[in-house]
Every structure is written in C-alpha cells, then in structure tokens.
Amino acid sequence: MTDAPGARDSVNKRLRRGARPATSHPHPATSGTPTVLAGATVVLPTGSVENGQVTIDGTRIARSAPQNAQVIDATGHYVIPGFVDLHNHGGGGASFTSGSVDDILKGIHTHRLHGTTTLVASTVTGDMEFLTRRAGLLSELAEQGEIAGVHFEGPFISPCRKGAHSEALLRDPHPADVRKLIDAARGQARMLTLATELPGGLDSVRLLADHGVIAAIGHTDATYEQTVEAIDAGATVATHLFNAMPPLGHRSPGPIAALLEDERITVELINDGTHLHPAALQLAFHHAGSDRVAFITDAMDAAGFGDGRYWLGPLEVEVADGVARLVEDGTIAGSTLTLDRAFKRAVTVDGLSVEDAVTALSANPARLLGLDDTIGSLEPGKHADLLILDSAYELKGVMRRGEWVVGPQLG
C-alpha cells in the first residue's frame, strides 16, 4: 500500500490541467443566464415553503430573479441543500486511502451523482509514513476545492474495537504523532478519530482542539467516565455512534450514554439499515435531537459501484448484496451507502421529517466543518449547491456551484 513516486507533483499537474471525470451534463446550469427553480417545496432553515422558488445567479443563490432569468418548473418536487458527508473512504470502485488522483476524482464524482456536493475524504489505518504522504496528496485536492478536507480514521484507535482496521498498524495517540498528521495536511485536516482512553489520548484531544481540528471519539473501549473526560478536553464528535464501541449497559453505560447526553457532541449515524437498527436511530434522535445528528456514509470503494472483492487499506473486503465485510473474519467494513439513500430511508423508513433529514445531512455537517456561511442551506449568497427530489424522494437533479452534475429530470 504505497503511493506512486512523485504523487504530489502528479496531483499538481493533473489539477492544473483540470483533470476530473466528466459530469453527466457538462454544461453550466445557466450558460451565464440566471435560473429560477419555481413551484417546488423549498426546504429552508426556517421550514419548508410550498410553491417556493430558488434563484441561481452564477455559482451562488441569489435573493431575487432578474427579468432575463430562465425559469424551470419544479412543481411537485422538493428543492433541498446539497448533502455534506463528513466521513467517506471512497466510491465508484475508487479508494481515497490508496487510489491515484484519477481514482479519487472518480470517487468524488460518484458521490456527487448521488447528491453529496461537499465531501471530506477519510483515510484508514496505515503506518505513519504512508499516512503523512497520503495527507499531502489529499490536501492538494482540498486546496483545489474538490474535497472539503481530510479525516484521519486511525491509527490511534483501540485494538479492542478496531473494526475494519489492521491491528498490526494501530498505535497510541501520542501528540507528536497526531501533530505529524496535522502538519502533513497543511491546514486541510478537518477531523481525526481516536480512542481517547489510550495513552496520550486526552493530550491529543487538546492538541486537535487548539489547531481547529475536530476530535472525534470512535473505535473506542472507553468507560462512561473516560468519555466525559474526553468531551471536557475538547472532543465534539462521536464517530459512527453505536458502531465500534461498547454497547449501552444499565450498570456500565459506556461511551454511548456520555455521547448522547452531552450537548457539545454531534453524533454520526450510518443509516443504511445494516449498521443500525431503526430503534437505535430513533434513540439517538430522541436524546441528541435533530441539531446534533450528522448522517454519514462511511463509504468504501464499492459505494455506487457494486458487489465484489475490494481492499480497505491492507485488508481484503467482500461486498455481497451491498454489505461490505472483511474476508478474514466477517467484520462489517464500512458501507456502500450513498447519502441520497440515507435521506430516503430517514424519511420513508425511520419516519423523520424532511426538514430533520435535511438538517442531519446538510446543515449540521456544514456547521461542524465551519462552512455554514457558504453551504448547508438554501440562503442568498451561499453556494448554489442544491438537489431536486421527486415526491418519492428520488434524486432528479444535482447542482454544485451553479452547474448541473445530474439533471434536471422533471418530466
């Protein structure tokens, strides 16, 4: 599992040439002309507006429509903000951890086709030299605006709750090692998942907080008390709550109770029907509330691609019927989820309101990333990142920065 020689130079050259997969509709949405999506149910931070409209002028949402605007009739559809994925390892057959620049761009584009207009690229456990090189490569893509930054999941996690991470490569979260990853990402590190009960864990949480990087508690064997201590030190996210941590117990509540009860914590949930029972999702929403939940994919290469054999870091994965498991022991290995499926399931299976689902898929993760001034809601001045859904919550259009990635398909 190594980078090709000169990987960083290759990234620079390819990005200067504009290398990226072609979109489904490669022309701008407006061809220079402002566009109005009219007649839709528009989901705003203040609630849904029936027979509403959204005006796009260039790459931004505009306050009002000029007389020369192109009007698209979206009656019978929803217009919602583009999805924001905090935790994503790949898709379209491509890995963010080990793929080439073209692979990474393919994975990004795959998720854009499914409504994710902003994405943080996640790594998996590797040795420090590999991860620092990978951070440098991914930071180039972040600087070019292809991704919103880097999330390090591992190697600072508990061997007791390692999930689909190589135990041989795990290490304690010594602040000096954590700092190496932060520095390697050159200001593009957004989140780091760690088991805060390990030696150096609390000092690393404080270091991350001091550098503006989200400290996420995950793949942890911490007690309730240890988790409270980590939150007090500055941790603000629960990595895929319920998964890769001790179960909730009535005498030993463990990390789940501490993470759900503290208003400083946003909990990630993988809503694919495999990682969580619907009752667990409802429990999280009941205790955390819609403003503290962020749906993620935790996607690996097979998302948007299909069943087969894949690699997640150094570990081989078998994907069958859309469920990814390690070949060696059957452990669930990420997901094949896309956020359009997570949204539809949240509304149709879990009974969430459209507004709460939008909050969990767009507004909350945008806020966590510190990007809520430009993305996460449909407000004038923000990026024209938006989705069109039909009445069955199927994706019928994806716009990113004022250009159609998909659609619109309103016939």
Side-chain angles (χ1 to χ4, degrees):
M1 191 170 71
T2 59
D3 286 326
R8 180 174 172 182
D9 290 340
S10 175
V11 174
N12 283 323
K13 290 176 183 177
R14 298 191 67 79
L15 290 174
R16 282 197 293 270
R17 293 200 303 266
R20 66 190 67 194
T23 61
S24 300
H25 296 264
H27 52 278
T30 61
S31 299
T33 302
T35 296
V36 177
L37 300 176
T41 298
V42 180
V43 181
L44 301 173
T46 53
S48 295
V49 177
E50 295 185 7
N51 195 28
Q53 67 179 40
V54 179
T55 300
I56 302 99
D57 194 349
T59 64
R60 301 277 177 168
I61 296 172
R63 189 170 299 279
S64 59
Q67 290 185 346
N68 67 332
Q70 173 192 7
V71 178
I72 297 176
D73 184 3
T75 301
H77 293 75
Y78 292 90
V79 177
I80 67 174
F83 301 139
V84 181
D85 196 351
L86 293 168
H87 185 155
N88 188 317
H89 298 279
S95 169
F96 298 151
T97 295
S98 58
S100 67
V101 175
D102 282 343
D103 289 335
I104 297 168
L105 291 171
K106 179 182 179 183
I108 294 166
H109 183 65
T110 295
H111 286 282
R112 286 180 186 169
L113 293 173
H114 291 275
T116 298
T117 52
T118 301
L119 177 152
V120 175
S122 302
T123 62
V124 297
T125 293
D127 64 48
M128 289 297 295
E129 182 182 356
F130 173 80
L131 288 173
T132 55
R133 289 200 311 272
R134 202 65 191 172
L137 185 151
L138 291 171
S139 70
E140 298 285 345
L141 292 167
E143 289 160 3
Q144 295 294 327
E146 296 290 349
I147 60 176
V150 184
H151 164 220
F152 298 100
E153 188 180 24
F156 312 118
I157 61 176
S158 172
C160 301
R161 305 288 174 177
K162 62 184 175 61
H165 291 255
S166 172
E167 185 169 357
L169 296 173
L170 301 182
R171 59 173 59 206
D172 290 336
H174 295 303
D177 287 335
V178 172
R179 180 63 186 266
K180 286 179 184 177
L181 296 185
I182 295 173
D183 290 346
R186 302 195 309 276
Q188 300 301 328
R190 294 290 173 261
M191 183 163 66
L192 187 146
T193 294
L194 70 164
T196 55
E197 75 277 8
L198 296 176
L202 294 180
D203 286 340
S204 290
V205 168
R206 297 184 186 101
L207 174 70
L208 291 164
D210 287 345
H211 285 79
V213 180
I214 296 167
I217 300 172
H219 288 275
T220 177
D221 204 40
T223 64
Y224 173 90
E225 292 77 13
Q226 288 171 325
T227 305
V228 169
E229 195 173 7
I231 297 169
D232 288 339
T236 57
V237 165
T239 292
H240 43 55
L241 186 74
F242 300 109
N243 298 115
M245 59 182 62
L248 183 67
H250 65 290
R251 292 192 181 93
S252 179
I256 293 173
L259 294 165
L260 282 176
E261 73 182 8
D262 198 300
E263 294 183 356
R264 293 169 290 182
I265 292 291
T266 298
V267 298
E268 294 181 347
L269 298 176
I270 308 171
N271 192 25
D272 62 353
T274 298
H275 282 78
L276 295 176
H277 189 282
L281 184 140
Q282 290 292 343
L283 178 70
F285 262 88
H286 177 75
H287 286 279
S290 61
D291 289 338
R292 290 178 45 219
V293 172
F295 285 134
I296 60 163
T297 61
D298 193 18
M300 45 79 70
D301 311 18
F305 199 68
D307 291 352
R309 289 283 181 108
Y310 298 85
W311 291 92
L312 187 61
L315 303 178
E316 192 171 13
V317 176
E318 175 82 30
V319 179
D321 297 325
V323 178
R325 296 183 181 275
L326 292 183
V327 170
E328 64 181 18
D329 62 9
T331 298
I332 293 177
S335 85
T336 63
L337 185 64
T338 53
L339 285 183
D340 56 337
R341 287 170 45 210
F343 179 92
K344 182 173 181 177
R345 180 179 177 84
V347 178
T348 62
V349 176
D350 302 310
L352 300 185
S353 68
V354 169
E355 293 81 6
D356 281 350
V358 166
T359 299
L361 284 155
S362 302
N364 291 344
R367 172 182 48 79
L368 275 173
L369 294 173
L371 298 176
D372 49 330
D373 58 336
T374 57
I375 63 171
S377 60
L378 301 178
E379 297 177 270
K382 293 192 176 184
H383 289 308
D385 293 357
L386 57 85
L387 312 177
I388 301 175
L389 308 173
D390 65 15
S391 58
Y393 312 108
E394 294 289 340
L395 200 60
K396 296 299 179 180
V398 178
M399 177 182 284
R400 182 178 187 272
R401 305 300 194 265
E403 295 191 10
W404 291 114
V405 180
V406 174
Q409 303 165 15
L410 304 176

